[in-house]
Amino acid sequence: MNPLHLLPPETAHKLTLFAVKHKLSPIAPPDDPATRLELFGKTFRNPVGLAAGADKNAAALAGWARLGFGFVEAGTVTRFPRQGNPKPRLWRLGNGHIVNWMGLPNKGMDLFVAHLTQFQTAPERKKLIVGASIASPENSTDDLRALAAVIAPLADYLTVNISCPNVDAHDHSATAMQEQVTAVVSEAGATPVLIKLAPETNKETLQKTVESVLCAGAKGFIATNTIPWSKHELLGNTSFIWPQSNGTAVGGYSGPLLLETTDSMVRNIRDIAGANIPLIGCGGVQSGKDARRLFTAGANAVQIYTGLIYKGPRLIADINRTYCAQRQQGQPPA
Ligand SMILES: Cc1cc2nc3c(=O)[nH]c(=O)nc-3n(C[C@H](O)[C@H](O)[C@H](O)COP(=O)(O)O)c2cc1C
């Protein structure tokens, strides 16, 4: 058993972040050129990314690079600091399952920018593709514009997180999304803007979203965010009891039961948006074999979070090994 799992989940997370930031975590083996890939004009050392939410304030970027990640999606950051939801809001449910109801706690844009600025001159900068996940839980296009203006010059890509299940106000109407994405794209200049989608297995609904944000200038997709209780049927039969707050089921699920939905979304988005759109599979990857499934479905790269909590950094090497093997057979789209 991972000794960190003896601690409450948020404490374990803080301790991990401290260790990664202060370079107390393991160092990855030297890069294998066979894992390199090109995506939106950038060279990634490998296709394994840290998903949004693990380093909300971009505090430990050099450490994640040392651990072996090819890219990190820092954030989600909001314009002003946020407390997030009341605790408890993170549940480790065993067997690879997590439910989180964090509600986008973060220290706000100014500290995020200070950390990114500091990282620009770090020796690890050359090794790591840095994405920045931004959101406005209040649906403020002005806030998104302000975030994009200061963060885009320091990041390799921006992600608009329109899919957090743990805040009240995300407006999923096509018009609202288009307006927000257009605003971010116009501030981002040459920095590509990706969209992080919520779980959606209905292809027609997905098609409307994909087409409308592409029209607004988005350059790629990350599928998917966590599954909220309202969509728990996507998980099939679960062996755990869904966490509640004041008698109501709260939060979003991540873990192995998400892989099926991620696979379906990756397939559908690839089909809708075509062979060249950058597509990152996220959700349920806890082994090289899981990643292989998403590469086969059409993902260029994958992101992990819950798998890192349960499997540790060896998961990065495991995915890279599978990627190389799959590439030798000529399979991944990259
Ligand atoms: C504790 C926790 C916090 C998260 N916070 C964010 C976030 O701030 N922004 C975001 O886009 N996704 C967030 N996510 C979702 C992950 O980025 C990812 O989409 C999801 O966990 C599925 O991947 P996984 O099965 O590898 O964990 C969070 C997930 C967890 C477990």
Side-chain angles (χ1 to χ4, degrees):
M1 190 201 194
N2 181 340
L4 280 172
H5 290 196
L6 297 168
L7 298 171
E10 280 203 52
T11 312
H13 179 249
K14 274 196 189 130
L15 209 61
T16 305
L17 207 53
F18 179 89
V20 173
K21 180 175 174 176
H22 294 282
K23 301 180 178 172
L24 304 171
S25 49
I27 302 177
D31 285 352
D32 177 350
T35 59
R36 248 179 241 152
L37 70 147
E38 299 286 322
L39 209 53
F40 42 77
K42 306 269 177 185
T43 304
F44 289 54
R45 72 205 265 227
N46 67 55
V48 191
L50 180 70
D55 190 355
K56 289 173 182 291
N57 304 302
L61 294 171
W64 298 118
R66 278 164 56 99
L67 211 56
F69 281 104
F71 65 112
V72 167
E73 192 161 306
T76 297
V77 62
T78 51
R79 184 174 185 178
F80 303 107
R82 275 175 64 86
Q83 296 283 330
N85 289 322
K87 293 178 186 173
R89 55 191 183 176
L90 182 56
W91 296 270
R92 212 191 288 116
L93 300 168
N95 295 324
H97 309 305
I98 294 267
V99 166
N100 95 80
W101 184 51
M102 300 298 286
L104 303 184
N106 74 93
K107 294 186 178 157
M109 173 174 100
D110 293 346
L111 185 67
F112 192 91
V113 166
H115 285 154
L116 277 188
T117 306
Q118 213 173 29
F119 185 58
Q120 302 307 311
T121 51
E124 292 84 356
R125 178 67 182 103
K126 285 190 227 63
K127 288 190 157 199
L128 193 73
I129 295 293
V130 178
S133 169
I134 62 172
S136 166
E138 297 81 18
N139 275 309
S140 159
T141 304
D142 280 349
D143 283 2
L144 286 171
R145 209 178 266 125
L147 283 156
V150 292
I151 296 173
L154 301 166
D156 296 302
Y157 72 92
L158 286 185
T159 299
V160 188
N161 177 8
I162 52 169
S163 53
C164 178
N166 297 326
V167 293
D168 292 333
H170 274 311
D171 183 344
H172 291 289
S173 72
T175 330
M177 272 190 297
Q178 249 184 337
E179 183 197 309
Q180 293 181 352
V181 176
T182 307
V184 171
V185 167
S186 75
E187 292 296 335
T191 306
V193 175
L194 275 58
I195 308 296
K196 173 116 174 232
L197 297 168
E200 179 56 72
T201 47
N202 180 304
K203 194 169 175 184
E204 267 175 41
T205 311
L206 190 60
Q207 180 153 7
K208 279 191 196 133
T209 308
V210 165
E211 286 174 352
S212 79
V213 297
L214 285 176
C215 253
K219 290 284 181 293
F221 295 93
I222 298 163
T224 174
N225 215 314
T226 55
I227 292 188
W229 170 254
S230 58
K231 290 196 168 183
H232 73 280
E233 74 284 349
L234 291 176
L235 301 172
N237 286 331
T238 53
S239 54
F240 57 83
I241 296 167
W242 195 290
Q244 299 196 340
S245 175
N246 292 327
T248 307
V250 290
Y253 168 90
S254 55
L257 302 177
L258 187 50
L259 187 66
E260 186 72 33
T261 300
T262 311
D263 179 75
S264 144
M265 287 185 71
V266 168
R267 267 174 213 286
N268 285 336
I269 297 167
R270 181 59 72 212
D271 196 37
I272 295 162
N276 296 325
I277 199 86
L279 178 51
I280 297 168
C282 175
V285 175
Q286 303 210 339
S287 68
K289 200 170 146 216
D290 296 338
R292 170 187 275 263
R293 190 166 159 189
L294 299 188
F295 291 129
T296 305
N300 300 98
V302 295
Q303 288 178 340
I304 55 172
Y305 187 172
T306 306
L308 185 69
I309 294 171
Y310 280 98
K311 300 285 160 72
R314 75 189 148 89
L315 178 56
I316 305 168
D318 191 14
I319 297 172
N320 278 329
R321 251 190 318 276
T322 317
Y323 183 71
C324 281
Q326 203 174 359
R327 254 189 165 179
Q328 276 163 9
Q329 294 156 5
Q331 283 178 14

